[in-house]
């Protein structure tokens, strides 16, 4: 056997091996560049330190030891009963191994494994041997792999033809898979009665080995310590009644494993055999029995679960462990696992973090790029990046790279990174939906599989400001005077919709007619008025704008509302024309023309004609009421009126017409007199009266609003002779006959000048 002395100028080495046994594994289950197999509980693991080999017996386990490459010394200085030639080969990158024993066969195969973007791949090393061995470990001084024989059938031999029996120690050539028997350490009790050693850990030249199961069972109460320099073994009693781990690994002066019974983390003090347990964090993957345990070069533990998951676990202070899950890896499922790692290091990894935008919209998408670089001259076997996206960001996703998302935490895992090589991963999230500017710092950390001599570059951050947009505008009339009371609808990206009324909660500027709306996410918007200020036309324009990084405040300037100027002009006429006399039996035609003289629609416009001065002496001709627009006017004889209501567009007119017939008994000197009143409503400003020329106050004085037609009905009997003049009645209603009128008096023939006094029924 060849051992090595420590050399502080040479990189640290660590090997990880995995043992599988207890089931048949087909050769094609272990691909040359990947794959996996089933690993069962009877495998053994050993961890070796600087000067001695420590073995522990349990069902299956992974363990790792730290060492530094060293100069070669003579094999005779260490325990090497068969004087085996042990090559002092080293690795340029941290390397991982495992072994498997196939069901139905005692043959054991060595495999080489590597971490690769969230998983690991296996490649067979050499050919399987014909018996079962376990408890593999690597001497950190020599990089040599050791193991223990779990089950050796009669006549079993090693690769050199030497006989092999249960509990013998083995040297395993990790470059070709050949094994060499080294015999049983002096002072170690033979364990064939309980199946051989199958759990081990090593450090500082000592190999610690136990058997899996409960420490109170026969053959399982002791921790064996083997000094590799002399090949002698001593034992220490373990805390009784503990269900042991399937594997041990050595780190910071303790052996670490995971209890087969309840999954707790176990810590063994190898100096006194004391075992303590610690609860693992709640995010520890559930399901599957515990398999191998090993140590990463960074001091974290590797817990291999048989259902296909390997967990990287930090323990913090070994005197007061605070376990935390750092990362998880996809692993080939199996009934048991076992391993060790050869770590080359230290390796300096750095990380740089950038965001695709310094300023982002509320609910806008942010993409971060993480660049991981190997700053050293030796490769890294793998790395983990953890990024805790700040609270408030949502929809966190992995964009590029092998990563997992839990809440707002993203964990990326990567494989080998060659010297001065870089790799990038990306993640994204939606920014908070906020109405105020808010800047957040997002930090990412890289953790390599190996020790890192420069922690200052293991963390980096990117600042992203969630800066919303703002839109401002002013509502004015034609003279640029601010107008109060308008309402608006703002529509934007992703179905965004906001109703705004002058000086409400969404308008942060409390000046009348001046608007300021904040908190807009980036994107395209349209603004449209839904209610105009009183007395003004609504603005029909859709005002479009876009909020973006270089245009965060948009000023739409003055948005003008034209003043409403409604108006209604009515002209009433008659045929014969107003002022002309009519006689009994004559037909009179009336027309009312209503014109919209304003700049607004009138809806409705209403016309009411008072016919009380008509129906006293005339009769409505049924069916004569007509309209040039809308429905025909309604004539109510009992209430002595005609009415019409309808819509008149701006600039348009409607003409109403109807006819009456002067009554035969109409008194001479009576008249047909009517009065029309018209009004309109501006639907955009219904509370403000529309100016009209024919109102209750103006209709009597405006000739366009009334007509008068006197009735002439000569009396029957003697006629008035020529030479007289009939004049209009005076204020008292009298008619005076001027000149001499000679009347023939019936029966007397007397001619007299007669003053007739007649009371007019109504004043003309």
């Amino acid at each position: 056997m060849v051992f090595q002395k420590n050399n502080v100028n040479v990189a640290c080495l660590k090997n990880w091996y995995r043992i599988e046994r207890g089931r048949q594994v087909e050769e094609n289950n272990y691909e040359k560049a990947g794959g996996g197999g089933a690993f069962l509980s009877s495998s053994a693991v050993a961890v070796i330190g600087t000067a001695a080999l420590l073995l522990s017996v349990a069902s299956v386990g992974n363990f790792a030891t730290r060492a530094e490459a060293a100069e070669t010394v003579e094999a005779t200085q260490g325990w090497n009963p068969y004087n085996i030639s042990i090559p002092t080969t080293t690795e340029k990158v941290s390397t991982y191994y495992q072994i498997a024993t196939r069901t139905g066969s005692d043959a054991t195969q060595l495999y080489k494994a590597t971490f690769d973007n969230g998983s690991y791949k296996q490649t067979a090393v050499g050919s399987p041997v014909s018996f079962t061995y376990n408890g593999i470990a690597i001497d950190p001084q020599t990089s040599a792999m050791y193991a223990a024989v779990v089950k050796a059938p009669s006549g079993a031999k090693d690769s050199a033809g030497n006989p092999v029996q249960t509990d013998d120690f083995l040297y395993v050539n990790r470059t070709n898979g050949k094994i060499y028997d080294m015999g049983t350490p002096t002072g170690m009790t033979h364990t064939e009665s309980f199946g051989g050693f199958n759990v081990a850990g090593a450090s500082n030249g000592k190999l610690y080995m136990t058997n899996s199961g409960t420490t109170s069972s026969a053959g399982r109460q002791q921790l064996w310590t083997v000094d590799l320099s002399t090949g002698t073994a001593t034992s220490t009693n373990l805390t009784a009644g503990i269900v042991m781990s399937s594997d041990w690994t050595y780190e910071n002066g303790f052996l670490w494993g995971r209890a087969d019974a309840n999954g707790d983390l176990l810590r063994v003090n190898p100096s006194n055999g004391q075992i303590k347990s610690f609860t693992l964090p709640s995010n520890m993957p559930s399901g599957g029995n515990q398999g191998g345990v090993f140590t990463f070069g960074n001091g974290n533990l590797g817990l291999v679960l048989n259902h296909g998951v390997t967990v990287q676990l930090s323990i913090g202070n070994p005197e007061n462990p605070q376990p935390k899950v750092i990362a998880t890896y996809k692993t080939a499922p199996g009934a048991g696992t076992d391993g060790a790692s050869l770590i080359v290091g230290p390796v300096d990894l750095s990380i740089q973090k950038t965001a695709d935008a310094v300023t982002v919209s509320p609910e806008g998408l942010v993409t971060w790029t993480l660049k991981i670089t190997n700053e050293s001259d030796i490769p890294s076997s793998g790395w983990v990046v953890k990024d805790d996206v700040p609270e408030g960001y949502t929809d966190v996703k992995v964009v590029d790279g092998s990563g997992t998302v839990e809440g707002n935490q993203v964990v990326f895992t990567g494989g080998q990174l060659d010297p001065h090589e870089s790799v990038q991963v990306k993640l994204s999230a939606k920014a908070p939906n906020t109405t105020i500017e808010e800047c957040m710092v997002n930090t990412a950390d890289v953790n390599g599989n190996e020790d890192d001599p420069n922690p200052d570059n293991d963390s980096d951050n990117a600042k992203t400001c969630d800066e919303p947009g703002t839109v401002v505008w002013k509502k004015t009339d034609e003279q640029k005077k601010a107008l109060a009371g308008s309402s608006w609808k703002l529509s934007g990206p992703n179905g965004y919709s906001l109703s705004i009324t002058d000086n409400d909660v969404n308008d942060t500027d409390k000046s009348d007619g001046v608007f300021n709306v904040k908190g807009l996410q980036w994107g395209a918007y349209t603004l449209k008025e839904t209610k105009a200020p009183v007395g003004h036309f609504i603005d029909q324009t859709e005002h479009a704008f876009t909020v973006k990084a270089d245009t965060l405040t948009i000023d739409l300037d003055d948005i003008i509302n034209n003043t409403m100027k409604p108006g209604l002009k009515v002209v009433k006429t008659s045929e014969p024309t107003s002022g002309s006399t009519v006689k009994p039996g004559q037909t009179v035609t009336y027309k009312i023309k209503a014109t919209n003289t304003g700049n607004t629609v009138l809806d409705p416009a209403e016309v009411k004609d008072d016919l009380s001065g008509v129906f006293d002496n005339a009769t409505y001709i049924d069916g004569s009421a007509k309209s040039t627009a809308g429905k025909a006017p309604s004539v109510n004889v009992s209430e002595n009126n005609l009415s019409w209501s309808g819509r008149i567009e701006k600039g348009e007119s409607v003409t109403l017409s109807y006819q009456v017939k002067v009554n035969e008994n109409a008194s001479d000197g009576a008249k047909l007199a009517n009065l029309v009143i018209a009004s309109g409503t501006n639907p955009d400003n219904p509370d403000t009266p529309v100016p009209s020329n024919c109102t209750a106050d103006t209709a009597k004085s405006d000739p366009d609003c009334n007509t008068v037609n006197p009735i002439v009905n000569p009396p029957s009997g003697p006629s008035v002779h020529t030479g007289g003049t009939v004049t209009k009645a005076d204020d008292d209603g009298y008619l005076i006959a001027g000149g001499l009128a000679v009347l023939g008096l019936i029966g007397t023939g007397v001619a007299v000048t007669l003053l007739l006094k007649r009371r007019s029924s109504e004043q003309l």
Side-chain angles (χ1 to χ4, degrees), residues 474-484 512-513 536 558-561:
K474 185 177 181 181
K475 170 58 62 173
T476 70
D477 63 10
E478 300 93 325
Q479 286 73 43
K480 303 294 184 179
K481 179 183 177 181
L483 300 175
D512 287 345
H536 294 80
D558 292 348
I559 298 178
I560 298 174
N561 282 112

Side-chain angles (χ1 to χ4, degrees), residues 414-431:
Q416 181 170 323
L417 197 60
D418 289 334
H420 308 290
E421 181 186 9
S422 297
V423 65
Q424 290 185 348
V425 294
K426 294 182 179 181
L427 67 151
S428 67
K430 286 185 179 179

Side-chain angles (χ1 to χ4, degrees), residues 186-262:
T186 303
M188 179 173 282
T189 303
H190 213 51
T191 60
E192 288 179 336
S193 61
F194 56 88
F197 297 117
N198 62 349
V199 181
S203 179
N204 299 323
K206 296 179 181 179
L207 177 65
Y208 303 97
M209 183 170 282
T210 67
N211 194 292
S212 59
T214 304
T215 54
S216 58
S217 302
R220 293 175 170 84
Q221 303 98 330
Q222 295 173 316
L223 171 67
W224 288 94
T225 303
V226 179
D227 188 330
L228 289 176
S229 65
T230 62
T232 59
T234 58
S235 65
T236 302
N237 290 331
L238 295 168
T239 301
I242 302 297
V243 179
M244 298 287 281
S245 172
S246 296
D247 192 19
W248 298 117
T249 187
Y250 187 90
E251 178 62 27
N252 285 317
F254 296 99
L255 295 172
W256 302 87
R258 185 165 176 255
D260 291 335
N262 57 16

